Amino acid sequence: MQIKETANEGLKRAYTITIPAKEIDERVTGEVKKIAPQVKMPGFRPGKVPANLVRKMHGEQVHAQTVNDLIRESVDKVMAENKLRPAMQPKVELDEGYEEGKDATLNVDVEILPEIEAPEVEGLKLERLTVPVTDEQVDEAVERIASNNKSYKDAAKTKKAGDGDQLIIDFVGRVDGVEFEGGKAENTPLVIGSGQFIPGFEEQLTGVKTGDEKTITVTFPEDYPAENLKGKDAEFDVTVQQVKVPTDTAIDDEFAKNLGLENLDKLKELLRGQLEQETAGLTRTQMKRQLLDTLAAGHDFAVPQGMVDAEFEQIWGQLQQEAAQSDDAEAMLKEMDDEKDDYRKIAERRVRLGLLLSEIGQKNGVEVNANEMNMLIQQAAQQYRAEDRERFVQYVQSEPMAAAQLRAPLYEDKVVDFLFDKAEITDREVTREELEAAIEAEESTEEKPKKKAAAKKKAPAKKAADKDADDKPAAKKAPAKKAAAKKPAAKKADDKQTDDKATAKKPAAKKPAAKKVAPKK
């Protein structure tokens, strides 16, 4: 086997490997001898088939497998002898003119990980912004739950319905005079002003009274999910069975019990814990961004362009999905193109930080243990159908790169926690608004374009009875196997944290709201 280096520039390396035909033939002959005792052929006793006949029968298959094995061994030898740490799977090409009986010539291109001097972690200084949860905030959270659990009582028959009032209605819908599937329902609750139905539906019921019958005309939006209704004009014959008005919800122990809790104090305790958890998450986001900015400012080394390209493609793919769901996809795509260079800089920054965090972790013995890895695999397997989960687990366990990608976010968090433990941290109490403003300010230091995805369009009508809306997404298949990398890819820095304002979650024991019905597909 002959190995010749053909390129050595920056992090890029290239080699030409020649495997002599004699070496290939000798390996094939050895493999034929190994399988010969298992080969059966009419006229010969088991294990007594001549090697030349075995080669004639199975030689092509044995030769192909042998060449593949020799290619893998040759690339591994190049990596080991030159002490290379591949950033990604090496690109290996066999000359097109190769055929059995000739020397095999391989061209190998690989990008290697840069040599990084891990920074000293002592003396790192960070400021932690904390937000105390006040009694007033807890009370506001309780009131929000109460407002979302409104009860209604029958109004006088002379009462004209207005915003916030609830109607109990029967309706029948027709397009071109013909009833359509899902366009008919009885005793359906509808709160005027809630935006549950097609635009224009609720507005035309303002002012109705109990017992009224009314025909309203609406137009289904162009993006309505049911193909046969998109953009169509429709008439609905509506009968108002009852007009109801909201009643004040007493916030007391009985209210908490209706939510499945012992008393009001337990509800407040639960909500306080949720609010503290939310603000703690924001505090961690702020500290992590501060830490990453500090690391980024002190390190500027070359990074493998293949890793940058892969990270950029991931960012770009996500942006394209957001654009496709926006009100003006064309405008958003144009804005994205104008800022493409900025997004590539973000990708480069993430790769650099990922490599840096990986180096810090390795130098300081940070690792994801076997139990943690098993939990990650089992959690990830839940996204697949039950019959595919075991296959997914086997795939991750056999493919180093797949395991590395799954491990990366947890590994990064553990390195960040390690750095937090080593840092000198000073606390400063702020309001939630000040904390969110600090996160936004730190986000801008990432050179991230100040662009947000356009708001998604609201569903034009309630589709509780829509079969497509209720169906679960098709389960993903276990991914096809890839060639194993010699070493796992470096951990990826996830410095893009979600900083949406969190709202208090309702207790899980909350009683379900009444089901709403509207035209379905």
Side-chain angles (χ1 to χ4, degrees):
M1 182 185 302
Q2 298 175 348
I3 300 173
K4 179 182 178 182
E5 184 178 71
T6 57
N8 186 332
E9 183 179 353
L11 299 176
K12 294 182 178 181
R13 302 288 185 273
Y15 300 88
T16 297
I17 303 174
T18 302
I19 307 174
K22 182 180 179 181
E23 183 177 344
I24 297 172
D25 185 68
E26 288 175 352
R27 180 73 72 89
V28 170
T29 300
E31 292 299 320
V32 167
K33 288 180 179 180
K34 285 182 183 179
I35 68 171
Q38 285 82 43
V39 175
K40 295 181 180 179
M41 183 180 291
F44 295 93
R45 287 180 297 165
K48 298 299 182 179
V49 180
N52 63 323
L53 290 180
V54 174
R55 186 158 187 160
K56 185 175 182 180
M57 290 175 59
H58 302 285
E60 185 176 343
Q61 180 181 351
V62 173
H63 177 266
Q65 183 60 50
T66 298
V67 171
N68 282 335
D69 291 343
L70 286 169
I71 289 174
R72 185 177 63 255
E73 292 170 14
S74 301
V75 174
D76 288 348
K77 184 176 180 180
V78 169
M79 300 300 124
E81 289 184 352
N82 292 278
K83 298 179 180 180
L84 302 179
R85 298 191 302 159
M88 301 180 73
Q89 184 77 6
K91 180 182 178 182
V92 182
E93 292 182 347
L94 177 65
D95 274 0
E96 291 183 5
Y98 173 73
E99 59 186 35
E100 188 172 354
K102 291 185 177 181
D103 294 346
T105 302
L106 314 176
N107 295 305
V108 181
D109 292 287
V110 61
E111 274 193 294
I112 61 173
L113 296 174
E115 294 297 328
I116 305 169
E117 185 175 346
E120 293 298 328
V121 297
E122 306 294 339
L124 186 64
K125 295 183 179 181
L126 298 172
E127 183 181 49
R128 179 166 51 206
L129 305 183
T130 61
V131 179
V133 175
T134 65
D135 292 341
E136 289 76 11
Q137 289 173 318
V138 174
D139 290 340
E140 288 174 3
V142 174
E143 289 172 4
R144 282 197 298 271
I145 292 177
S147 67
N148 289 326
N149 285 271
K150 285 181 180 178
S151 55
Y152 296 85
K153 65 179 181 180
D154 291 350
K157 292 187 177 181
T158 56
K159 159 70 176 172
K160 293 184 178 181
D163 275 356
D165 292 337
Q166 185 187 65
L167 304 178
I168 306 299
I169 60 174
D170 300 341
F171 61 82
V172 178
R174 298 180 179 84
V175 171
D176 297 329
V178 180
E179 290 185 25
F180 54 89
E181 184 183 359
K184 182 177 182 178
E186 296 179 351
N187 297 318
T188 302
L190 170 62
V191 177
I192 294 181
S194 63
Q196 295 169 288
F197 277 40
I198 300 168
F201 193 102
E202 296 170 21
E203 291 85 343
Q204 294 181 60
L205 294 177
T206 300
V208 298
K209 301 187 297 295
T210 297
D212 282 356
E213 295 182 357
K214 187 170 185 177
T215 298
I216 61 176
T217 302
V218 294
T219 301
F220 282 92
E222 293 292 341
D223 60 352
Y224 192 70
E227 290 291 335
N228 62 317
L229 298 177
K230 286 183 177 180
K232 296 289 184 65
D233 291 332
E235 283 189 346
F236 285 88
D237 294 333
V238 180
T239 300
V240 181
Q241 299 291 357
Q242 184 66 56
V243 175
K244 293 175 174 282
V245 293
T247 60
D248 292 332
T249 301
I251 298 176
D252 52 19
D253 288 344
E254 191 62 31
F255 169 69
K257 288 178 181 178
N258 289 334
L259 296 173
L261 299 168
E262 294 178 24
N263 51 44
L264 184 58
D265 287 341
K266 286 293 184 182
L267 174 59
K268 289 185 176 182
E269 181 183 332
L270 174 66
L271 292 173
R272 183 180 293 276
Q274 290 177 347
L275 290 170
E276 287 173 346
Q277 187 175 9
E278 290 163 11
T279 56
L282 290 174
T283 293
R284 178 180 171 82
T285 296
Q286 174 265 329
M287 279 186 65
K288 182 176 179 180
R289 287 193 174 158
Q290 188 185 160
L291 170 66
L292 295 178
D293 285 345
T294 301
L295 293 175
H299 298 83
D300 185 18
F301 49 84
V303 294
Q305 284 306 301
M307 294 181 72
V308 174
D309 291 343
E311 181 65 29
F312 172 77
E313 290 302 322
Q314 184 176 345
I315 294 172
W316 199 249
Q318 183 178 347
L319 289 170
Q320 287 177 319
Q321 287 181 0
E322 293 175 0
Q325 296 170 348
S326 70
D327 287 335
D328 192 344
E330 186 176 347
M332 187 172 175
L333 287 170
K334 183 180 183 307
E335 189 176 354
M336 284 165 50
D337 281 332
D338 292 342
E339 295 171 343
K340 204 166 188 174
D341 290 343
D342 292 326
Y343 286 112
R344 183 164 285 280
K345 289 178 183 177
I346 294 170
E348 184 174 327
R349 168 190 161 100
R350 290 190 187 179
V351 171
R352 184 174 291 110
L353 284 168
L355 294 173
L356 187 57
L357 288 173
S358 178
E359 198 69 27
I360 293 171
Q362 291 176 30
K363 181 179 178 181
N364 293 280
V366 178
E367 61 180 22
V368 174
N369 62 42
N371 287 338
E372 291 169 331
M373 192 63 200
N374 284 335
M375 287 182 63
L376 287 175
I377 294 173
Q378 294 302 325
Q379 289 170 359
Q382 296 307 308
Q383 68 181 300
Y384 297 99
R385 296 176 300 184
E387 59 268 29
D388 289 332
R389 289 172 189 166
E390 184 58 33
R391 193 152 59 96
F392 170 78
V393 171
Q394 293 172 357
Y395 166 72
V396 174
Q397 290 174 340
S398 64
E399 297 293 345
M401 289 195 72
Q405 290 172 352
L406 194 60
R407 183 191 300 111
L410 177 59
Y411 183 84
E412 178 194 313
D413 278 342
K414 295 188 78 166
V415 175
V416 168
D417 286 336
F418 167 79
L419 292 173
F420 284 166
D421 289 339
K422 293 290 184 180
E424 180 184 326
I425 298 175
T426 56
D427 290 314
R428 179 160 64 93
E429 214 172 84
V430 296
T431 65
R432 179 163 178 150
E433 290 72 23
E434 289 172 330
L435 175 56
E436 289 170 348
I439 293 172
E440 289 291 333
E442 286 164 359
E443 185 179 35
S444 67
T445 66
E446 299 178 16
E447 301 177 283
K448 181 175 180 178
K450 287 289 187 177
K451 178 170 72 66
K452 298 186 181 291
K456 296 179 184 177
K457 289 185 178 180
K458 287 186 177 180
K462 189 73 175 177
K463 302 183 293 298
D466 186 344
K467 291 180 181 178
D468 288 349
D470 290 342
D471 286 345
K472 294 180 181 180
K476 298 179 181 177
K477 295 182 179 178
K481 282 195 172 185
K482 300 178 183 177
K486 183 66 179 174
K487 293 191 178 182
K491 312 304 180 290
K492 186 177 80 173
D494 184 19
D495 56 354
K496 182 180 179 183
Q497 296 278 344
T498 302
D499 54 1
D500 294 334
K501 296 181 181 179
T503 54
K505 294 181 181 177
K506 300 174 187 176
K510 175 189 168 185
K511 293 182 179 179
K515 180 179 276 191
K516 299 178 175 62
V517 182
K520 64 181 179 181
K521 277 187 177 181

